[in-house]
Amino acid sequence: MDISLTCRNVMKVFEGDGIKTNALEAIHIAFPKGAFVSIAGPSGSGKSTLLSLLGTLDRPTSGEIYFGEKNVSQLKSRELSDFRFQHIGFIFQQFHLLPTLTALENVMSPLIGRKGSYQKKERAEQFLEQVGLRDKANALPSQLSGGQQQRVAIARALINEPSWLLADEPTGNLDTETGEVIFELLSELNRSKGCGVIFVTHDPALANRAKIQIRMKDGRIISETRESAYV
């Protein structure tokens, strides 16, 4: 299945207290399967809103979002939930690990209530090993460092081997050295598994290391830089 990702004239408007806010305006962009993408810009530029729409966590006010030939903007809620589970993994700045579950149980948590042709525990153990935390399988989040918690969150996002991994400020709560480890892990997953990665960042140096670099301001894309392989 072709899991390229395309936005066609996407807009997002938030309304409250009689006030309309245009969070995104006329976003038109396409990313090929397996791309490594950064989205950068000042606070309030719309980058996290765009990531939320790309990840189907929210719907655009107008416009269309395609994964390959599938227009996900037209899917019903249950269909969208199933599509998200199959094709999209999320990494958040705040980790969002469940405090009463072990690292292994947190990685397995997206599979609760889902059927699969694989052993859930074995798969979770494999991804914990891939992020270098097999020995921390029985540790609670409170017993892990920030970098270790973020690696558990990455393993959780990978549990169903998604086509796209979306990360909102994945290094934002980490020190520089630990943030570099997380960035390199995302880069390696992109190379070894062909998993597309889109990450939001405030860090220009980090953004500049992506193969496709998107800059946003006031809800619009103001610049786009691509390596020759992605032009």
Side-chain angles (χ1 to χ4, degrees):
M1 182 178 181
D2 173 19
I3 306 293
S4 56
L5 182 50
T6 304
C7 290
R8 297 181 182 174
N9 201 34
V10 166
M11 298 185 68
K12 183 63 180 179
V13 179
F14 293 107
E15 297 186 49
D17 298 325
I19 300 174
K20 289 186 178 182
T21 302
N22 294 332
L24 293 176
E25 298 190 44
I27 300 296
H28 193 92
I29 192 122
F31 304 127
K33 176 182 177 181
F36 193 74
V37 183
S38 66
I39 303 176
S43 296
S45 61
K47 55 189 184 298
S48 291
T49 299
L50 177 57
L51 194 74
S52 180
L53 296 182
L54 293 175
T56 72
L57 293 176
D58 199 0
R59 295 179 185 269
T61 304
S62 61
E64 299 172 323
I65 297 175
Y66 285 83
F67 282 78
E69 299 300 318
K70 183 180 290 291
N71 182 355
V72 297
S73 309
Q74 296 180 343
L75 296 181
K76 296 179 180 178
S77 295
R78 182 55 188 270
E79 294 173 325
L80 196 60
S81 177
D82 290 341
F83 181 87
R84 187 186 307 122
F85 172 74
Q86 293 168 6
H87 295 293
I88 305 170
F90 295 93
I91 305 167
F92 302 97
Q93 182 178 353
Q94 302 295 336
F95 316 140
H96 294 308
L97 301 181
L98 297 173
T100 59
L101 299 185
T102 66
L104 181 64
E105 290 167 341
N106 265 287
V107 174
M108 293 173 60
S109 62
L111 302 179
I112 295 174
R114 296 277 184 175
K115 295 181 179 180
S117 58
Y118 46 80
Q119 294 295 321
K120 297 177 182 180
K121 183 179 179 181
E122 289 181 8
R123 175 170 283 197
E125 288 172 340
Q126 290 171 2
F127 280 113
L128 271 180
E129 183 170 5
Q130 188 164 358
V131 300
L133 290 179
R134 182 68 177 265
D135 62 330
K136 299 292 185 180
N138 295 319
L140 295 172
S142 61
Q143 298 170 314
L144 301 173
S145 69
Q148 289 172 331
Q149 289 184 59
Q150 189 60 291
R151 282 190 276 166
V152 172
I154 292 172
R156 179 183 59 191
L158 291 168
I159 191 64
N160 206 44
E161 299 187 336
S163 307
W164 287 93
L165 196 58
L166 307 188
D168 194 358
E169 295 282 0
T171 64
N173 280 342
L174 306 174
D175 60 74
T176 301
E177 183 177 352
T178 306
E180 178 65 22
V181 171
I182 295 301
F183 181 84
E184 288 297 333
L185 177 57
L186 292 176
S187 299
E188 173 56 29
L189 290 169
N190 174 252
R191 290 190 296 267
S192 64
K193 290 190 169 295
C195 175
V197 174
I198 304 176
F199 68 96
V200 162
T201 182
H202 279 94
D203 186 344
L206 212 58
N208 289 340
R209 294 165 66 182
K211 306 299 185 184
I212 300 176
Q213 302 159 27
I214 304 299
R215 298 273 191 299
M216 297 188 67
K217 185 178 180 181
D218 298 331
R220 295 180 178 273
I221 294 174
I222 59 173
S223 71
E224 176 185 345
T225 305
R226 299 184 180 228
E227 290 192 355
S228 58
Y230 295 102
V231 173

